Amino acid sequence: MSRSAHPAGPRHADVLTEGHYSAPAADLNVLDEKVWSRTVTRDADGGLTVGGIAVARLAEEFGTPAYFLDESDFRARCRAWSEAFGPDADVFYAGKAFLSRAVVRWLKEEGLNLDVCSGGELTTALDAGMPAERIAFHGNNKTVAEIERAVEAGIGRIVLDSFQEIVRVAHIAQRHGVRQRVQIRVTVGVEAHTHEFIATAHEDQKFGIALADGQAAEAVRRALSLDGLDLIGVHSHIGSQIFDMAGFEVSARRVVQLLAEIRDEHGVELPEIDLGGGLGIAYTSEDDPREPHEIAKALSDIVTRECEAAKLRTPRISVEPGRAIVGPTAFTLYEVGTIKPLEGLRTYVSVDGGMSDNIRTALYDAEYSVALVSRTSDAEPMLVRVVGKHCESGDIVVKDAFLPADLAPGDLIAVPATGAYCRSMASNYNHALRPPVVAVRDGEARVIVRRETEEDLLRLDVG
Ligand SMILES: *Cc1c(COP(=O)(O)O)cnc(C)c1O
């Protein structure tokens, strides 16, 4: 994802201070279909439409800022993943990317399983009718109450993350008179090619049990010795927003090696491995994500090859895409407010949201694209920084991008690929009202998560 420095647009020809933006697209009115959801297009008047509805109408009906989620795209991505992996594998959607009751119903209808990592996500999943056996429970610090609830519900699997948790879950399962299906999360020592704070399989971090020093083998020994646990496999998740399959290859190889060691030591072949999620999506035109069928083929080839070499039966594979399913399906619609040109630097374009609806830019230095969507424009490109309305100078939504120089207050702009980790990480900072999520499909739009109101704020404030 390296970005080449490029002479800026004519409006700010002297700006080369940071050099982390690419050239403006030849025509800012052309939407790069890589970063927009499938039904997004411009209509005859030049306004953007999604699911056949003009954004101007959506803004009028639902207000801004708001997330618009392309439901048919979401469902198509679910199907693409489950068809790519086929009947001998399981696709678990990582609920933390974005979860709501409607999403749970779509997943259920499209045949996917679901990862949760808190009591709140579990409650949402069960409330919307996801069968407990299709749910996996993750997390490095599940509370006793959460584990109890999961075991009572008959959850499909709990992914054990520590030695203490192995004992904790075993005791709870025993108390409930069940053998809980579990996997052990191992850290395979792979550092995915991504931002440090979202890489999770190198060893100096809070998740999982290290393969190194025989820690994972010891965890397996303990899990196999406890009556309350039915150890079905090993789990590895190496990071997020990954494009390079090499990390997955190393991870799969090490996980299969562990299965072979378990077979040699205990005489059991664990039937499943989970290779986690983390597959990258296109946030800008420079990102080139892989299609689910390529990913499925790459992963199953590696596992098959490694198992043949180790003379193991090929285990059932599961994967856990979150971002790759929901990320590309939504955009955030904002209304442009104050526009502040800083001579010789860039133009600051303020929108009616910000870090409260998209923290990823501030948190991970994430890159996004942006487009003027209420109309087209033939004005020359100007270098902009899209910022929110919060009391932080780091309140940046899109760090460097180009918008037409005739941009004016009241215009609508949209940031694509905000389906994952935006609403789910949204906050009330500055007592912002978290935006709604509106599902759009076949000419119909309906709110699936409503906008927060000032009454909601006051309801929690009971002092
Ligand atoms: C976050 C997470 C995922 C999903 O990651 P994406 O980047 O959204 O695909 C999958 N599995 C585990 C264990 C995770 O923590």
Side-chain angles (χ1 to χ4, degrees), residues 94 96 115 138 185 235 237 240-241 277-279 320-323 421:
K96 68 181 198 232
D115 272 0
H138 280 276
R185 175 160 175 175
H235 177 283
H237 172 71
S240 247
Q241 184 61 1
L279 285 314
E320 307 175 308
R323 183 194 319 270
Y421 306 108

Side-chain angles (χ1 to χ4, degrees), residues 67 97 332 356-358 360 368 417-426:
Y67 308 98
T332 313
S356 54
D357 57 73
N358 187 348
R360 292 191 64 260
Y368 281 95
T418 57
Y421 306 108
C422 287
R423 181 56 179 79
S424 68
M425 287 185 166

Side-chain angles (χ1 to χ4, degrees), residues 366-389:
E367 290 178 352
Y368 281 95
S369 0
V370 61
L372 171 61
V373 295
S374 44
R375 61 185 174 91
T376 52
S377 163
D378 295 326
E380 64 194 25
M382 74 174 162
L383 179 62
V384 301
R385 180 160 289 176
V386 179
V387 296
K389 55 181 285 159

Side-chain angles (χ1 to χ4, degrees), residues 81 85-93 113-115 134 136 138 157 159 181-183 232-237 248 251-252 255 271-279 295-296 299-300 303 314-321:
W81 276 85
F85 279 85
D88 298 326
D90 299 299
V91 180
F92 285 77
Y93 168 77
N113 307 289
L114 176 61
D115 272 0
R134 282 166 60 181
H138 280 276
R157 65 175 66 155
V159 181
R181 287 159 56 87
V182 295
Q183 291 187 337
I232 57 165
V234 175
H235 177 283
S236 158
H237 172 71
F248 288 99
S251 158
V255 164
E272 298 191 19
I273 61 173
D274 189 317
L275 295 174
L279 285 314
I295 295 160
L299 293 181
S300 80
V303 172
T314 307
R316 191 175 176 86
I317 300 176
S318 39
V319 287
E320 307 175 308

Side-chain angles (χ1 to χ4, degrees), residues 232-311:
I232 57 165
V234 175
H235 177 283
S236 158
H237 172 71
I238 58 169
S240 247
Q241 184 61 1
I242 304 165
F243 291 97
D244 185 354
M245 294 301 288
F248 288 99
E249 286 207 25
V250 177
S251 158
R253 195 171 309 134
R254 294 189 182 165
V255 164
V256 171
Q257 252 164 26
L258 178 62
L259 290 194
E261 286 167 29
I262 295 167
R263 186 250 341 255
D264 296 345
E265 182 179 339
H266 304 279
V268 290
E269 292 194 25
L270 298 184
E272 298 191 19
I273 61 173
D274 189 317
L275 295 174
L279 285 314
I281 63 164
Y283 285 104
T284 75
S285 298
E286 301 195 355
D287 297 329
D288 267 315
R290 296 187 172 222
E291 293 296 323
H293 66 89
E294 294 175 79
I295 295 160
K297 179 161 184 347
L299 293 181
S300 80
D301 284 355
I302 303 160
V303 172
T304 307
R305 200 173 57 231
E306 295 297 320
C307 286
E308 274 170 14
K311 299 197 167 43

Side-chain angles (χ1 to χ4, degrees), residues 6 29 37 43 81 137 158 186 191 204 233 235 239 245 284-285 384 417 422 448:
H6 188 280
N29 299 314
S37 69
D43 64 19
W81 276 85
F137 194 10
I158 295 179
V186 300
E191 189 166 346
D204 187 7
H235 177 283
M245 294 301 288
T284 75
S285 298
V384 301
C422 287
I448 59 171

Side-chain angles (χ1 to χ4, degrees), residues 58-119:
L58 292 171
E60 212 172 274
E61 186 170 349
F62 301 102
T64 57
Y67 308 98
F68 293 96
L69 197 163
D70 193 335
E71 181 183 338
S72 53
D73 192 15
F74 184 97
R75 289 175 179 272
R77 286 175 195 279
C78 289
R79 285 195 293 274
W81 276 85
S82 81
E83 281 161 20
F85 279 85
D88 298 326
D90 299 299
V91 180
F92 285 77
Y93 168 77
K96 68 181 198 232
F98 173 63
L99 196 66
S100 76
R101 285 192 278 217
V103 163
V104 174
R105 286 193 295 270
W106 300 341
L107 293 167
K108 189 178 156 194
E109 287 165 16
E110 301 298 345
L112 267 66
N113 307 289
L114 176 61
D115 272 0
V116 299
C117 54
S118 71

